[in-house]
Amino acid sequence: MHAFHYRDGHLFCEDVEVAIAADRFGTPLYLYSAGTILDHFGRLDEALAGLDHLICYAVKANSNRAILRLLRDAGAGFDIVSGGELFRALKAGADPGKCTFAGVGKSREEIEYALEQGVYSFNIESEAELDYINEIASAKNQRAPIALRVNPDVEAQTHQYISTGKSENKFGIALEQAAKVYERASKMPAVAIRGVQMHIGSQITEAAPFVAAIEKIAPLVSELRSKYAIEFFSIGGGLGIAYESSIASGSGDWWTSQRSHPLTIRDYVDAILLPLTRLGLRILLEPGRLLVGNAGILLTRVRYIKETAQKKFAIIDAGMNDLIRPALYGSYHEIVPVNQSSTSRITKKNRTRKIDIVGPVCESGDFFAQDREMPPVQAGDLLAVMSAGAYGFVMASNYNSRPLPAEALIEGDKLALIRERESFADLVRGEVNPELRGVSPTL
Ligand code: LLP
């Protein structure tokens, strides 16, 4: 199956010409392929078939309800990190009994809401949080199902902002402390020990850190199993995706690039299957990027071409407020023309001089690519920023008072708008009292 590919020089997503979506819904536009998401989910699920497992999609990667619904229908549970994400998941028809609640700073309101809805597990990140959840559940005459997030202190070999399994990170409870904290938890009246969890980071492209972390935590898991009859071990998410592919060269297709990726789903599962099978527990996984990252693009139109003494810029209508990953992490996103003219097909021979692809936001950090070799780009051209399905729209903001972009989903030959573009009225909707008529607070 092809997700994003060229037909006669025109970029298609599944069976829909991408330019049609841009014409219909405008740009910037996030466009997702349902088939790709389901294919990734299906391949992971199938690779794990021999293991009692549940894939809890990490909602933070892309939380549009249409996407949550797709995954729910495919059998996924959800890993959520806020009351808002739980609300979204439930609105998409999720079974709360298949939702895990992670995060270092859960509020009272969020904990109460999750207790009322009956989540599968609170993944606890500190002793203070454990005490707080016990107190809140006790006041509600409930028992909160819990797992401790254990920090195995392993190097995930990824960007420092998204590495979470080292002891200097704010996440989890140190492996050496964990047994003691479980012991305390076992004596608490309003918590029920249900499992153990880890998550060492994101965009990890080697199997070794996952294996190292699992092997480090495995003895604790076995001990907890015999002491407290825990049900599950969640190994978190973090499996990286290919951000570079062969699509720009016009040779091969998206899946070829997937196969050439250093860590495939198969390699990942092959590496972790044996140590996990030995534990004899239900295994939870929390993939986000893997399922949706390569399933989405950000469509944008070139507004102006600007040449200075040193540089050539293509100024596009998407900005860092729409996709912040390049500005925040210096991350690479492939950028390709939606319509390849015969001269714009990138071959080794006709590559033009390097160009910066930048947005309209008033910051020099507002770039999508710097000194990138591109085929000839002109004002009015449509470009696709690839692999923008994860941590794209969800991290968008209204900076520079730019309305949030629209989102659309393609399924085979069908195209649907799944979020409207914001209007100027939306920008000021939550603001009250513009005349600033204050009253003195009573002392
Ligand atoms: N589970 C937990 C507890 C997490 O904190 C995360 C991601 C995941 C699962 C899913 O990880 P994934 O499978 O997507 O790698 N904004 C960054 C990524 C932040 C990841 C945060 N936690 C980016 O754009 O690269």
Side-chain angles (χ1 to χ4, degrees):
M1 188 197 123
H2 291 215
F4 295 98
H5 56 278
Y6 285 105
R7 286 188 204 163
D8 296 328
H10 302 290
L11 188 65
F12 274 68
C13 171
E14 302 191 24
D15 293 322
V16 175
E17 194 177 336
V18 158
I20 292 176
D23 286 347
R24 182 137 339 144
F25 304 128
T27 54
L29 173 73
Y30 276 97
L31 188 63
Y32 310 116
S33 153
T36 310
I37 297 171
L38 294 177
D39 177 75
H40 289 170
F41 179 85
R43 284 196 285 153
L44 181 61
D45 204 32
E46 212 177 288
L48 293 161
L51 200 64
D52 177 15
H53 70 277
L54 176 65
I55 299 173
C56 292
Y57 166 64
V59 172
K60 63 170 81 67
N62 187 324
S63 55
N64 189 293
R65 280 178 299 159
I67 287 178
L68 302 185
R69 194 170 282 278
L70 268 183
L71 287 163
R72 183 215 58 173
D73 289 348
F78 296 97
D79 181 55
I80 53 136
V81 290
S82 67
E85 284 192 354
L86 178 57
F87 178 79
R88 277 181 175 284
L90 296 174
K91 283 269 173 206
D95 172 358
K98 284 167 111 179
C99 291
T100 51
F101 190 2
V104 292
K106 302 174 189 79
S107 71
R108 171 177 286 273
E109 292 72 24
E110 287 176 323
I111 295 166
E112 285 176 348
Y113 177 44
L115 276 170
E116 282 151 22
Q117 297 302 321
V119 295
Y120 181 53
S121 175
F122 288 88
N123 293 342
I124 289 185
E125 304 242 10
S126 64
E127 283 201 72
E129 185 193 335
L130 176 64
D131 289 332
Y132 198 45
I133 288 181
N134 180 49
E135 177 202 311
I136 295 170
S138 165
K140 291 175 84 70
N141 275 328
Q142 274 185 267
R143 286 193 91 169
I146 63 121
L148 297 188
R149 173 169 178 177
V150 176
N151 184 326
D153 193 23
V154 297
E155 181 56 68
Q157 290 151 18
T158 184
H159 190 283
Q160 56 160 335
Y161 287 6
I162 53 176
S163 171
T164 56
K166 288 286 288 169
S167 56
E168 67 259 30
N169 300 130
K170 70 178 175 184
F171 298 99
I173 292 169
L175 182 56
E176 308 75 57
Q177 307 286 315
K180 203 181 82 224
V181 182
Y182 270 105
E183 173 84 44
R184 269 196 67 211
S186 71
K187 301 199 175 96
M188 291 181 168
V191 302
I193 296 173
R194 187 162 265 181
V196 58
Q197 196 265 357
M198 68 170 214
H199 172 76
I200 58 171
S202 196
Q203 185 54 20
I204 299 169
T205 52
E206 308 276 335
F210 294 110
V211 177
I214 291 168
E215 283 177 349
K216 259 182 125 171
I217 296 181
L220 172 75
V221 178
S222 304
E223 186 191 323
L224 297 172
R225 189 174 170 226
S226 53
K227 268 195 181 155
Y228 311 114
I230 59 166
E231 287 170 26
F232 77 86
F233 175 27
S234 172
I235 60 167
L239 189 55
I241 60 167
Y243 279 96
E244 289 177 64
S245 79
S246 55
I247 194 171
S249 69
S251 68
D253 58 47
W254 199 245
W255 302 108
T256 317
S257 72
Q258 293 296 296
R259 282 198 295 278
S260 64
H261 183 252
L263 185 59
T264 61
I265 290 175
R266 193 68 263 169
D267 292 344
Y268 167 72
V269 172
D270 282 351
I272 61 173
L273 202 58
L274 192 63
L276 292 178
T277 309
R278 281 202 205 108
L279 293 171
L281 278 175
R282 184 180 205 207
I283 301 300
L284 266 54
L285 297 95
E286 305 163 5
R289 189 188 320 260
L290 171 74
L291 302 184
V292 294
N294 285 336
I297 61 176
L298 175 60
L299 272 176
T300 173
R301 206 175 276 282
V302 178
R303 281 199 183 142
Y304 306 105
I305 299 292
K306 172 172 175 173
E307 295 207 42
T308 65
Q310 294 85 23
K311 288 246 186 195
K312 183 169 180 179
F313 296 96
I315 300 165
I316 60 176
D317 65 4
M320 66 191 286
N321 70 298
D322 299 304
L323 177 69
I324 202 173
R325 301 193 70 258
L328 190 58
Y329 312 114
S331 59
Y332 178 93
H333 284 264
E334 190 166 16
I335 301 174
V336 300
V338 167
N339 294 306
Q340 295 176 317
S341 67
S342 50
T343 51
S344 77
R345 270 173 224 221
I346 308 180
T347 62
K348 288 238 156 58
K349 275 184 235 134
N350 80 351
R351 284 191 177 216
T352 60
R353 91 178 218 223
K354 292 175 176 169
I355 188 167
D356 279 22
I357 300 181
V358 300
V361 170
C362 303
E363 297 215 21
S364 293
D366 181 26
F367 59 82
F368 289 86
Q370 289 177 308
D371 292 323
R372 179 80 56 91
E373 284 198 43
M374 287 286 292
V377 178
Q378 286 163 18
D381 283 358
L382 272 177
L383 298 176
V385 182
M386 306 304 290
S387 306
Y391 307 109
F393 182 89
V394 287
M395 294 178 81
S397 76
N398 288 124
Y399 187 40
N400 277 205
S401 284
R402 288 169 49 82
L404 291 176
E407 294 175 285
L409 182 69
I410 285 171
E411 219 172 344
D413 59 0
K414 295 198 180 60
L415 167 67
L417 186 68
I418 57 171
R419 185 183 167 109
E420 283 177 4
R421 181 177 308 286
E422 276 190 344
S423 64
F424 287 164
D426 291 329
L427 292 176
V428 294
R429 190 159 19 97
E431 290 175 12
V432 291
N433 200 4
E435 300 84 17
L436 217 74
R437 298 231 170 80
V439 288
S440 303
T442 46
L443 295 172

